[in-house]
Amino acid sequence: MSAGRKVISKNRKARRDYLVKDRYDAGLVLLGSEIKSIRNHNINIGDGFVQEQDGELWLMNTHIAPYKEANIFGHANPRRPRKLLLHKREINRIISKIRESGMTAIPLQVYLERGRAKVEIGVARGKRRYDKRADLAKRDANRQIERALKER
């Protein structure tokens, strides 16, 4: 993590439900009241996903609560689609990976960098139930090993 990065929100479900292959940092097109709300940590990206529309990438189903001190003009829908800002080459790379079977793009975290809101998106494959169980068993075994070493 760089020095100027302040993490606002993390998608905790992402690591559990998906196997992340690639990560990209993208800017967000926001309204003034939305960025103020994000600075107050009033964002939820847990159910979010990235969708392609007309060669552009859009962040869907993320909830940014309306900023209380602002007028609600333009920010009537807290779950509205928000455009992602990436280089054309990155957009094409992500779109080609999303079109593969079983691949999706999800937001991993939202952070502020030099006052601007950015989102880290990951191109991922959904885990099957047995993958989740294997990860849980592996984590449990590592925890027991750590305890045994600590008691020595």
Side-chain angles (χ1 to χ4, degrees):
M1 235 187 332
S2 64
R5 183 184 268 198
K6 179 182 174 188
V7 176
I8 300 297
S9 177
K10 286 188 175 184
N11 187 352
R12 293 193 176 114
K13 282 196 232 176
R15 241 184 19 185
R16 186 187 69 214
D17 294 340
Y18 297 94
L19 182 65
V20 179
K21 302 280 186 183
D22 292 321
R23 297 169 187 262
Y24 298 93
D25 292 326
L28 280 168
V29 177
L30 298 169
L31 299 173
S33 61
E34 289 176 331
I35 187 65
K36 289 182 178 190
S37 190
I38 288 173
R39 287 184 180 133
N40 286 340
H41 297 262
N42 291 329
I43 182 170
N44 181 4
I45 60 171
D47 296 330
F49 61 95
V50 177
Q51 188 176 36
E52 179 226 347
Q53 292 176 358
D54 299 328
E56 297 176 337
L57 293 176
W58 293 81
L59 185 62
M60 311 295 277
N61 208 26
T62 55
H63 185 274
I64 299 177
Y67 187 62
K68 288 180 178 45
E69 284 77 34
N71 192 351
I72 61 164
F73 176 75
H75 193 165
N77 182 8
R79 288 196 182 271
R80 75 175 182 87
R82 292 165 181 94
K83 186 176 177 180
L84 293 175
L85 303 172
L86 290 148
H87 291 284
K88 193 67 176 172
R89 190 177 325 123
E90 289 177 323
I91 291 173
N92 291 336
R93 195 175 303 143
I94 292 170
I95 289 172
S96 68
K97 288 180 181 178
I98 289 174
R99 288 183 180 159
E100 289 180 30
S101 70
M103 298 295 276
T104 186
I106 53 170
L108 301 175
Q109 67 181 5
V110 174
Y111 61 93
L112 293 175
E113 191 170 74
R114 292 191 221 126
R116 291 183 170 90
K118 306 258 183 182
V119 62
E120 182 180 11
I121 59 172
V123 177
R125 184 178 304 279
K127 284 186 184 177
R128 303 256 194 271
R129 185 173 285 154
Y130 56 84
D131 291 334
K132 292 180 193 179
R133 268 187 253 144
D135 285 347
L136 195 67
K138 188 184 203 180
R139 194 166 46 234
D140 192 37
N142 286 339
R143 198 174 293 138
Q144 287 178 354
I145 290 169
E146 291 294 324
R147 272 194 212 122
L149 291 175
K150 197 179 205 181
E151 290 173 359
R152 277 181 123 184

